[in-house]
Amino acid sequence: MPDQEVFMRVPPATPKRTVYTDAMQIFHRAADVIGLAPRVRLELEEPDYEHIFYITAKLKDRLVPLSPEQAREFGDLPATKLRNPDGLEPLADGNYILNGRALLGSDVSIRGGYLRLQDGGVYKLVPGESRRFKAYRVQHNQARGPYKGGIRYHHEVSLDLFKALAAEMTWKTAIVEIPFGGAKGGIQIDPRQYGKEEIEAITLRFMYKLKRLIGPDVDIPAPDVGTNPEIMGLLFRQYSDGENERHTLRGVVTGKDIRIGGSEGRVKATGRGVAFCIEDYYAEKGTSVHGKTFMVQGFGNVGSNVAEILHSMGARLLAVNDAEGTIYNGDGIDVPALISYVQDPKNLKRSVAGFPGAQRISKKDLFEIQADMLIPAALGGEITAEIAERLRVRLIAEGANGPTTPEADKVITRRGIDLIPDIIANAGGVTVSYYEWIQNKRMEGWSEAEVNRKLEFGMKRNWRIIRDIARNLPRQTEMHDSRRFCIGKEVDMRCAAMILALKRIEAHYQLEGFSQ
Ligand code: NAD
């Protein structure tokens, strides 16, 4: 008799959950709802290209502080008198970079590699080493135009994160009707641990390697977390250096300084776009931003600008959380004073922590404050289901990319908290980047009033289409036409925004076809 066969049941493979699969949940949900063509779905569910590369840089010498206990054994070490104190560059982590010949000609007392500065602290002299950094550029989709997306310098980045952010750019550019696709990239680095000249060298090397992958009509980077107009200027220089028709290449990066081809209104554009959405949300309810209360998470480019604009409209900022701390003032925080405090060169961490016009609270407390609005404008995944259960706000306007987890999304819908989803709320930045790109191509310079007027129209018009899709209210008004996008039933706001993006992208595949 044959041996009894033994069956072993292999459990079905559960797909690994990542920041990318989380971010794509809404794509799949909206694709199911509208019955997105299967081939278009395949085109969109993974990026066109995923580039990973490495860059190296030679770092400068550093002075690294000793703890008071470690410093005790150097009690008799005389202080070094620096002839050129400007050669010392303070970093947010407490280290100093020794720029140029900072010690040259100084009265240096050094023992075993340790020296005392005039501030009394003892420091270890660490010679500059060469270091390697991991860099990324993900190009998600270009059905509607050249790839477009920011450059992030942050220590917590990954291929999955950049895939998610690149896909978000594809949806966003479609939602605000600008002729671009989606991309994202950057470097795995904590920029606060490096000096100005080191960041410059790393940025130039980054573009040296990136150059073959991008171009003004191919892929157009812009600023994101940890980068700024100065870095965009460096990227432009490295891309165009020595080229014959250098002026025609200015549109290879956006978010540049206005003096070198940046657009008026670009720096504030993302914050302004969030504010336009909020303004329209209240206008529809027959009320206004005036007198409303709000909280902001993240007080960098997006957070500080949206706070400033809402404050100027008469809203009251109650609390702010950033990477270093959380502050609260029930009477309203003086926003211009807070911005001056954060931007003071002595505030090395660029943080709201320690602001004298507010009291310190915990991050947990911030999410329990009663207010009209919460504006997450920091990093992704910050609003979890647990936080969403505790929120006491009526509206969340997502300044950050992907701040709300899929579980939190369900809680927000169940609790009836209104939402302005990220892919419309923070699309103001890329919209004005598009205006910058046009101005560069045409060699024009538009006024800030003109930029803001166009931005307002672009944001409000598409935000209204999204609301009509959510409520299944097909109609044509002077400002917008939602008839082609409504699907015959109501959907939640995040799904409505994604439906608008997918329908616009799908049209390109349907009408242009595939190149086999
Ligand atoms: P930024 O670097 O200027 O500021 C980031 C802010 O977030 C800082 O205040 C920082 O302290 C804070 N932060 C960082 N980690 C935090 C944490 N763990 N908890 C709390 N706060 C934290 O960046 P930004 O340009 O203002 O971008 C903020 C968000 O907006 C990002 O999600 C970015 O992708 C998105 N965004 C930016 C733009 C733009 O034009 N800058 C456009 C669209 C979307």
Side-chain angles (χ1 to χ4, degrees), residues 152 154 165 172 184 223-226 266 270 297-303 321-324 350 363 377-380 382 399-401 426 429:
R152 182 174 289 198
H154 197 264
L165 294 171
K172 212 177 289 185
K184 204 85 173 192
D224 189 66
V225 175
R266 173 61 184 90
T270 307
Q297 188 194 29
F299 207 72
N301 174 296
V302 180
N321 160 253
D322 72 11
E324 307 297 327
R350 299 272 176 273
K363 182 170 180 173
L379 300 181
E382 283 286 320
N401 283 316
N426 69 32

Side-chain angles (χ1 to χ4, degrees), residues 288-293 313-316 372:
S288 81
V289 172
H290 191 88
K292 301 287 186 298
T293 52
M313 291 172 160
R316 205 149 41 95
D372 293 299

Side-chain angles (χ1 to χ4, degrees), residues 313-467:
M313 291 172 160
R316 205 149 41 95
L317 174 62
L318 299 184
V320 184
N321 160 253
D322 72 11
E324 307 297 327
T326 312
I327 58 169
Y328 170 75
N329 183 340
D331 297 329
I333 293 172
D334 179 343
V335 178
L338 180 61
I339 291 176
S340 307
Y341 176 80
V342 169
Q343 290 177 354
D344 186 324
K346 288 199 269 324
N347 187 342
L348 290 176
K349 294 187 172 170
R350 299 272 176 273
S351 172
V352 300
F355 176 61
Q359 71 185 85
R360 193 176 142 190
I361 57 167
S362 74
K363 182 170 180 173
K364 184 174 162 285
D365 290 342
L366 173 127
F367 292 116
E368 287 171 9
I369 294 169
Q370 183 154 9
D372 293 299
M373 301 168 250
L374 169 66
I375 304 169
L379 300 181
E382 283 286 320
I383 303 185
T384 58
E386 190 213 325
I387 288 174
E389 291 286 3
R390 297 203 313 265
L391 289 177
R392 291 163 68 206
V393 295
R394 298 207 181 94
L395 171 70
I396 299 173
E398 294 182 329
N401 283 316
T404 310
T405 66
E407 291 77 14
D409 236 7
K410 289 185 191 133
V411 177
I412 287 166
T413 309
R414 172 170 52 75
R415 294 192 56 211
I417 298 173
D418 287 340
L419 175 77
I420 310 181
D422 52 359
I423 47 180
I424 177 69
N426 69 32
V430 73
T431 305
V432 177
S433 275
Y434 167 53
Y435 302 157
E436 178 175 337
W437 183 78
I438 300 178
Q439 290 172 73
N440 291 161
K441 278 202 171 269
R442 295 189 192 161
M443 308 266 174
E444 288 179 1
W446 304 351
S447 70
E448 184 167 2
E450 188 176 358
V451 168
N452 289 347
R453 188 175 42 77
K454 285 191 159 76
L455 175 65
E456 179 170 7
F457 180 75
M459 294 297 299
K460 290 187 177 174
R461 163 189 158 77
N462 287 299
W463 173 216
R464 286 179 192 184
I465 297 177
I466 291 170
R467 279 175 287 174

Side-chain angles (χ1 to χ4, degrees), residues 453-497:
R453 188 175 42 77
K454 285 191 159 76
L455 175 65
E456 179 170 7
F457 180 75
M459 294 297 299
K460 290 187 177 174
R461 163 189 158 77
N462 287 299
W463 173 216
R464 286 179 192 184
I465 297 177
I466 291 170
R467 279 175 287 174
D468 283 359
I469 298 172
R471 294 168 194 151
N472 189 28
L473 199 67
R475 60 181 164 153
Q476 185 180 24
T477 69
E478 233 174 55
M479 189 151 177
H480 78 293
D481 184 351
S482 59
R483 290 170 302 171
R484 247 184 304 129
F485 304 107
C486 291
I487 58 162
K489 63 173 181 181
E490 293 183 8
V491 289
D492 62 87
M493 212 52 90
R494 198 183 295 286
C495 189

